[in-house]
Amino acid sequence: MEIQPDKQNIDQTFSTTVYFIDFYQRDYKWTEEPVKRLLDDVFYQFDEAYKKHNALEPNKENTNANYPWYYLNTYVTNTVAGRVFVVDGQQRLTTLTLILLKLLAKAKVYQSKTVGWLDRKIAGYSGTDHEFWMNHVRHLHVLEMLIAGEEPSNIDTSTGVTAQNMVKNYQVISSDLDARLDTLHRFDTFVHYFLLRLVLINLAVDATHVPMVFEVINDRGVRLKPYEILKGKLLGQIDKLELDSGKFNELWETQLQKVNAHKEDEIDNFFRYFLKAKFSDSRKSGQRFDGDYHRELFKDDVNASLKLEHNPAEVKSFLKGSFRYYTNLYSKLWDATYVESASYPAAYFNSLNELDSQFMLVLSACSVDDPEEDKKIELVTAGLDRIFTLLQLQGAYDSNEFAARLYEISTEIRGQSADIVSSVFEQHLIKEIDERRGTQLTQTFNYSLFKPMSIDRLNTRFTRYLFGRVERFLAEGMRLQMKHNIRELVTLRGAKTGFHIEHILSRNEENFALFENDEDRFEHERNRLGGVLLLKGRDNISSNNEVYSEKLKSYANTLYWNETLRADSYKSKLDFSGFATASNLSFRPLAQFGPDELEERHKLLFDLVSLIWVN
């Protein structure tokens, strides 16, 4: 028989069976809210009956005759090699065990006759071994200390979330039961009700059908994350003895923790990027993985490649191969988004622009245990940074078109040699500019397209990023430390401590006159990238609407790009002239700032961008 339902009360559930926690099950994650809800539900039924029958002696006959039974839910088990594994329901079973532990403690205080009965519901003999019925193998010390009456605050919870929540919830239960069970008669009556009238249904399922039953139960109850269901569907195919000997569960948990350390439930994002990287040729086809990807993974087209459906051998190969490798790669790339890597700094830069698409592209380019891994990460992340920046600066960026373009790039670099990566990005950069701007380019960065670029055509974050990269380039060229790291320049936005875009040309009569009092022309020109700077909040506020000669003073000791407008910067920075000459950059101080000077700075910025992203 594939499913064997068995109605049982708690007295029967915790009597002769040791329950091992199956790999399907999460840590014990119930918090105070579901624990209190369970207690409220149980006591609602009990309190109503106790009002009518509180004169009766607490015993089995009176309880069964006068107290209604209460359905607690279903739990699913699977027996392998004589061991009973809990496939679904350990959250409730563990909470019931904690309630029993508190009832036992109170029974001892009351010197109740139920002490022995309660003690046998928590632990007993399964053969010759004395064991807890809920066998949380890694956290048995918590149960041992609670049954011994140890103060919960003294219990070591370093073994993980399960231990922490068992201790926290025991304290919740303890306070609740102390308040509700305030007399010996009420206590003894409740113990009989709890053990005899609370009903569970055990579904004993054979190994073949465990994944299906697990997923159905999940869909109809508290939903698990897709990766938690996928774990069951994959590991459920492996024989439990081999699961232990091959340490497949440990492999899964290790890689899971490695990825989730970056962000809660990040493993779901990993699987989505992985599947898009390997099986999507367009943005539309990639959208299928945005939802319940664990189901898509077993559909014919994907399964034709991965072969994970009813195939334990391929599951084991996948876990030790692709899953191991790509989760490591994914975590490695995440690390590079926090701290700039000398080998592939663009991964850090892309994170500043929130270009998470680099995960899909890197996973696409790399093959399992790829000997060119670092080179591919470098080329892919730099290619993404470059195409994103140069499209923006030439008025050819559209977020939807760009997202679609990246799927095309992903398809073309999938599993290919590192040698072709840069050329693929280059071809798509030119193609996108041609399509968006109606041109036939011979070079990837054109001044005629850059010339009208202004801050009102760009995202503010990207504009700060642009000047942050320029600042970094100047600092490196002059062999100086940056005054502010690039993340601060891009992300800090506070009124006083953040960085803001500042117009060099303020709105005043003197500056209007420079543009023949043509307000439209003035507004257009002063918004061009050559006419703005990046200033910290206080500096920005202090410069206000001053004339240029006064604003020039406020640029001292700000950012290097700002200071290149000032004559004293050329005297104080000894390495600057050599750097400018070697880079063929036409730096000079500007004592005045009008249309010609603005155009000069805009061209200089074009040359800097060319050195950073093109040459």
Side-chain angles (χ1 to χ4, degrees), residues 472-609:
R472 173 194 168 92
F473 183 77
L474 294 177
E476 290 177 346
M478 294 185 287
R479 297 182 226 175
L480 297 172
Q481 291 291 322
M482 292 183 70
K483 298 180 180 181
H484 303 276
N485 68 58
I486 191 169
R487 184 173 290 279
E488 291 177 344
L489 296 178
V490 176
T491 62
L492 290 184
R493 304 182 67 175
K496 293 184 178 180
T497 59
F499 290 86
H500 307 275
I501 304 301
E502 155 83 348
H503 290 94
I504 295 175
L505 294 169
S506 300
R507 295 182 63 84
N508 55 51
E509 294 301 321
E510 179 180 304
N511 287 336
F512 282 150
L514 295 173
F515 294 86
E516 300 174 335
N517 292 315
D518 184 333
E519 186 164 348
D520 288 342
R521 180 189 171 201
F522 170 75
E523 197 63 36
H524 171 74
E525 288 293 316
R526 84 181 193 122
N527 280 337
R528 290 173 66 199
L529 294 176
V532 297
L533 303 173
L534 197 60
L535 285 175
K536 201 170 183 180
R538 290 191 179 90
D539 302 324
N540 194 13
I541 294 168
S542 67
S543 64
N544 207 359
N545 285 330
E546 298 169 329
V547 296
Y548 176 72
S549 59
E550 291 300 314
K551 294 187 79 164
L552 196 57
K553 297 175 184 178
S554 69
Y555 297 157
N557 300 313
T558 58
L559 300 179
Y560 298 130
W561 172 244
N562 308 344
E563 292 173 357
T564 59
L565 290 165
R566 296 170 49 87
D568 57 357
S569 295
Y570 295 79
K571 300 174 184 177
S572 60
K573 297 180 176 60
L574 301 179
D575 289 323
F576 182 64
S577 296
F579 158 69
T581 300
S583 303
N584 197 28
L585 294 168
S586 302
F587 279 102
R588 71 182 184 93
L590 299 176
Q592 60 183 22
F593 202 88
D596 292 340
E597 289 78 15
L598 193 154
E599 176 66 13
E600 182 179 334
R601 288 286 285 190
H602 199 75
K603 285 182 176 178
L604 179 57
L605 189 59
F606 174 83
D607 292 337
L608 281 163
V609 170

Side-chain angles (χ1 to χ4, degrees), residues 1 45 90 107 113 115 177 185 188 240 269 307 340 345 366 384 390 444 456 493 560 564 609:
M1 192 172 181
Q45 297 287 342
Q90 73 112 334
K113 293 180 180 179
V115 168
L177 295 189
H185 184 276
D188 281 345
K240 279 192 170 61
N269 287 329
K307 300 180 175 63
E340 183 181 333
C366 291
L384 179 60
L390 296 183
T444 54
D456 53 348
R493 304 182 67 175
Y560 298 130
T564 59
V609 170

Side-chain angles (χ1 to χ4, degrees), residues 204-220:
V205 182
D206 63 47
T208 305
H209 296 89
V210 165
M212 179 271 290
V213 172
F214 176 72
E215 185 169 359
V216 170
I217 289 173
N218 173 68
D219 283 345
R220 295 173 185 173

Side-chain angles (χ1 to χ4, degrees), residues 26-91:
R26 295 168 288 181
D27 287 318
Y28 176 56
K29 290 188 176 181
W30 267 21
T31 56
E32 180 176 344
E33 191 273 331
V35 170
K36 282 193 168 183
R37 187 169 64 244
L38 174 62
L39 289 169
D40 288 342
D41 290 346
V42 169
F43 272 98
Y44 175 78
Q45 297 287 342
F46 171 75
D47 288 340
E48 290 299 307
Y50 188 74
K51 289 175 186 177
K52 301 175 184 177
H53 305 295
N54 57 36
L56 296 176
E57 180 185 352
N59 59 40
K60 182 176 181 179
E61 292 74 18
N62 286 336
T63 302
N64 285 332
N66 296 288
Y67 285 78
W69 67 277
Y70 182 72
Y71 176 55
L72 283 175
N73 215 320
T74 299
Y75 70 100
V76 181
T77 57
N78 170 228
T79 301
V80 177
R83 286 187 171 188
V84 178
F85 291 86
V86 179
V87 175
D88 183 78
Q90 73 112 334
Q91 305 290 321

Side-chain angles (χ1 to χ4, degrees), residues 369-429:
D369 296 325
D370 201 318
E372 295 185 298
E373 177 180 293
D374 281 356
K375 185 65 175 176
K376 286 182 179 179
I377 297 175
E378 176 194 359
L379 294 172
V380 169
T381 55
L384 179 60
D385 175 49
R386 185 170 182 267
I387 190 173
F388 178 73
T389 299
L390 296 183
L391 288 176
Q392 294 264 6
L393 294 178
Q394 296 178 93
Y397 177 79
D398 175 270
S399 59
N400 290 324
E401 295 296 329
F402 184 66
R405 178 71 61 183
L406 294 183
Y407 277 91
E408 295 179 28
I409 293 173
S410 173
T411 302
E412 292 181 29
I413 65 174
R414 184 176 296 149
Q416 298 296 314
S417 166
D419 294 340
I420 75 157
V421 171
S422 294
S423 63
V424 170
F425 275 97
E426 186 83 357
Q427 292 162 13
H428 281 278
L429 171 60

